[in-house]
Amino acid sequence: MKLIYTDSLVVGAGLAGLRVAIASKERGLDTLVLSLIPAKRSHSAAAQGGMQASLGNTVKGMGDDEDVHFQDTVKGSDWGCDQEVARMFAHCAPKAVRELANWGVPWTRVTKGPRQVVVNAEKVTIEEAEEAHGLINARDFGGTKKWRTCYTADGTGHSLLYAVDNKAISLDIPVHERVEALALIHDGKRCHGVVARCLITGELRAYVAKSTTIATGGYGRIYEVSTNAIICEGIGQALALETGVATLGNMEAVQFHPTAIVPVGILTTEGCRGDGGLLRDKDGHRFMPDYEPEKKELASRDVVSRRMTEHMRKGKGVDSPYGPHLWLDITLLGRKHVETNLREVKEICENFLGIDPAEDWIPVRPTQHYSMGGIRTDAKGQSPQLKGLFSVGEAACWDMHGFNRLGGNSLAETVVGGMIIGKYVADFCEENTLEIDTSLAERFVAQVRDEIDGLVEGQGSESAYELKREMQRIMMDYVGIFRNGPELTKAVEELEALLIRSRNLGLKCKKRHANPELVEALRVKRMLKVALTVACGAEARTESRGAHAREDYPQRNDKEWLNRTLSSWPSSDATRPQLDYEQLDVMKMELPPGYRGYGINNAIAHPDTEKREKQIVEILSNLGEDADRHERQHALMPFEVPESLREKNERLHDKPLGNRQQLGEESK
Amino acid sequence: MSQGRTLTFNIFRYDPQMPDDKPKMVKYQLEEAPGMTVFIALNMLREQQDPSLQFDFVCRAGICGSCAMVINGYPTLACRTLTSKYPKGEITLMPLPGFELIGDLSVNTGKFMRELAERLKLWLHPRNDEADIHRIEAPMDPEEAARLYELERCVECGVCVSACATKQMRDTFVGAVGMMKIARFELDSRDARSVEDFYHVIGNQDGVFGCMTLLGCQDNCPKDLPHMQQIAYLRRKMATALV
């Protein structure tokens, strides 16, 4: 057995994983990254629109700060998030953006003076301040009060990933490419590393480490149509689940993005709507103002996706061989804007649809996009059940997104979460010794070897490809945008049957080295367990919150469901996860549950909400008039970040400028 | 969009890890579907006809650069190549030349790119190491930022390298991808390196002076990057650097 030791082991070389690796390496720790593919090809590269951080440099961002970002994030989460984590995140986001500028990201910058933008289908002129010239720009995104999304044209993820990977290369961090982790090595209390398989040679290796960080992204590919890269299969979540100890949080919280192209499901960025693009139906009618008069196309993603689906169900969709779709119209932005700020969108339209989006409308439909659920961690990014196991980015349920993530907050989470959790990972490595029990490692390697032997030498008859297709169809049909009891029950039963069938997988290709069929078989068994956590969680949650919309339970029920679903896998022969719930404590919330700002306010209140609201008024009045916003915040809900990240963020509008009015400070 | 055609794929097959295996071309047939790309076709072939077929895709959307291969003689991204583009319905697929072959259509471009980055030090060398992340960031000319982004759009697919005659003759040649990245950092006002520093890296036959200007890089680049312009720009800079 090949045994490889390191201090900080990171599984996944996207933005979140690389950022953690950098934090470890900067502390002098031996650091190693495992990746299915070359780091720069990670799914992080596909993020187009941008990353939220309350820099407040632009006229439309004036008055923005951590408080506004925090409130938008909590409301966006439909109060499902961990508010302390949302605070940590909002506080560190400006630091991460500025750090990335130092690492080489060519953020789009503010140009002083007047410029024309499209707001609510009308061309308006805004004037950027002299002082803001050359500072980092921001665009508008859904569900935010201010223009807060920092960007590089519509290739933000690409720019960020390249800068962060370049930084990792400059620090000499090794990335073992084309390697797949297949099991966590653990003793039920502490995680000691992973068993991984080289996808070229088939070699099995035990990677033993002080800390193991899972940063493998989301599980979108359990669905038939997804905007996710084809490697986003939820294997990281499955590895944690298969320990039987670590839990997954809120797996049923799955986001659908309003504007993926039809039929292939490739994303067109929310920046299209942020920059002024409109949604139209088969009559060319702009329908979003009919449903959401205030926010229109820029309501939260879950809201826009549901409104689009509702509208199509009314027969207003455009018929196509792939079912109904709607139109995204960015023609009003003008060719120059499309060819500079939305250039990836243009390429995608040309290559996959054969249309010119500066002239033609884009066929779009809501499509699986983001996994809010993931490996449950505490605020420091560590699994509460398995010491030494950390998770970050989309792979994790660190839980700043709750039941709906705002656009621009995922790219932000990767680097901000990586920055914060990276420091805690490094702390953990410094405070703990490497515990090496080679017999334990060998036992886990033997388990994986047996599994592979069984697949290669066994007489199984089931096809991995077929099981995967069936799973993806079930998830699409029964665990989609709108959910209901009978369909979810059906989904659980059918997935369970597939899981049982997956014990009888057989291979046509018997190679032990590079063998794509073997890779597929190893994954599909694990993906089915992940799919079951989503379906079972959704079936059990009899309320509607954020992206989880139950037709049979349309109310957000804070009274009974202000909690986080925790899934664990009871034993290797189990066919369903065990569900437990972790309550959110209203009495500790800075922002108690309230109206989110969309549709009718039909939430069933939590008994503590009123109590907490009164308490907040009291706390604030005791503080007196002189307390600044930081003191008020601290009095309501103190939060911790690593010491080097504690300092306040400087902003243009905090400075005593004589011409603040001219800068566009909005009266509140 | 043609429908109901039968497509013929001629695919390069070779497993370098099998001692007895020899490179060969294998013919497959497949019913064409509307909107079919080479990505869709290869997956169908693997699922339905030959599960051992090796190829790479990640984003399947023209964003990540994983799936470059030679299609009917031209290196390009397979994910966004529509089968309808070929009127005869015959499609020949070969792996990118110039890279380590993993098997069939899969080559190790990632390993190449990482080595190139280490060799040419393709990361920002900041002028100001002390930049404080808690303070307002240093301003940057908006036009400069836009220009940098234009050059940064490379996805490291390897097409320029495989389409380069110099690279085929001399393995140590850095190729258009290396020069594009050097140009990107040379233009970046935040980078501390001088023209002289870059001269030591690419002011030779393995760099700008090795290029024969056959423009395979520019002609085939899936991101339409201005390789010719950047190589000419670097040459001019290098030629005058040490005068």
Side-chain angles (χ1 to χ4, degrees), chain B residues 42-54:
Chain B
L42 279 174
N43 276 284
M44 287 177 75
L45 289 177
R46 180 152 80 188
E47 289 175 26
Q48 295 162 11
Q49 300 185 29
D50 191 338
S52 67
L53 188 57
Q54 289 186 62

Side-chain angles (χ1 to χ4, degrees), chain A residues 41 200 226 343 469 513, chain B residues 15 17 47 60 150 156:
Chain A
R41 301 204 167 140
I200 299 176
S226 167
R343 147 172 213 169
R469 253 197 317 276
H513 61 278
Chain B
D15 182 348
Q17 289 188 75
E47 289 175 26
R60 61 78 179 88
E150 281 303 300
E156 299 195 352

Side-chain angles (χ1 to χ4, degrees), chain A residues 195-471:
Chain A
V195 178
R197 178 172 173 270
C198 172
L199 295 173
I200 299 176
T201 63
E203 179 186 48
L204 285 183
R205 305 170 192 156
Y207 288 88
V208 176
K210 286 182 179 177
S211 72
T212 305
T213 304
I214 306 279
T216 49
Y219 43 89
R221 284 283 158 186
I222 60 173
Y223 284 86
E224 188 175 15
V225 187
S226 167
T227 65
N228 288 190
I230 56 174
I231 51 166
C232 300
E233 300 191 299
I235 303 305
Q237 286 87 0
L239 298 188
L241 191 65
E242 286 190 331
T243 61
V245 188
T247 56
L248 306 184
N250 286 344
M251 291 296 282
E252 67 272 32
V254 176
Q255 180 172 75
F256 285 73
H257 194 292
T259 60
I261 64 169
V262 178
V264 284
I266 297 170
L267 182 69
T268 60
T269 171
E270 186 166 321
C272 291
R273 282 169 292 132
D275 289 357
L278 306 176
L279 290 168
R280 298 187 188 277
D281 65 14
K282 69 173 184 188
D283 306 318
H285 174 63
R286 182 189 176 198
F287 57 92
M288 275 310 292
D290 304 344
Y291 295 97
E292 299 294 337
E294 203 182 320
K295 298 267 188 172
K296 308 177 185 77
E297 280 83 357
L298 288 173
S300 277
R301 283 183 181 169
D302 59 323
V303 176
V304 178
S305 291
R306 279 197 295 275
R307 294 309 197 185
M308 289 168 76
T309 307
E310 267 181 81
H311 202 62
M312 286 190 281
R313 284 179 176 180
K314 285 179 188 163
K316 294 291 182 183
V318 184
D319 289 326
S320 84
Y322 310 99
H325 67 76
L326 293 158
W327 298 113
L328 172 64
D329 172 10
I330 58 170
T331 61
L332 68 169
L333 305 182
R335 180 166 297 280
K336 184 164 179 274
H337 186 95
V338 171
E339 289 182 354
T340 51
N341 283 323
L342 297 170
R343 147 172 213 169
E344 292 293 331
V345 171
K346 185 169 185 282
E347 274 192 17
I348 287 164
C349 288
E350 285 169 353
N351 289 310
F352 294 93
L353 299 167
I355 64 163
D356 173 3
E359 300 279 337
D360 309 309
W361 294 347
I362 309 166
V364 293
R365 174 164 67 201
T367 300
Q368 193 291 334
H369 180 60
Y370 189 80
S371 313
M372 270 80 70
I375 299 169
R376 178 68 190 134
T377 73
D378 59 19
K380 292 185 172 180
Q382 189 171 205
S383 163
Q385 294 85 22
L386 215 48
K387 221 176 126 192
L389 175 66
F390 290 80
S391 184
V392 62
E394 194 175 350
C397 178
W398 187 35
D399 217 9
M400 50 167 286
H401 304 304
F403 276 77
N404 173 63
R405 169 178 73 77
L406 294 182
N409 260 358
S410 69
L411 203 54
E413 184 191 13
T414 60
V415 286
V416 178
M419 182 184 216
I420 298 171
I421 292 164
K423 289 194 190 291
Y424 292 128
V425 167
D427 288 348
F428 181 89
C429 290
E430 283 172 0
E431 289 158 12
N432 289 275
T433 52
L434 187 62
E435 290 172 22
I436 318 155
D437 180 346
T438 48
S439 68
L440 184 73
E442 266 181 61
R443 210 159 71 225
F444 279 93
V445 171
Q447 245 173 49
V448 174
R449 187 176 297 123
D450 289 348
E451 186 185 354
I452 292 171
D453 287 348
L455 287 167
V456 175
E457 290 159 13
Q459 302 301 312
S461 56
E462 296 285 355
S463 147
Y465 296 114
E466 197 182 311
L467 292 191
K468 186 169 168 183
R469 253 197 317 276
E470 285 190 37
M471 168 191 69

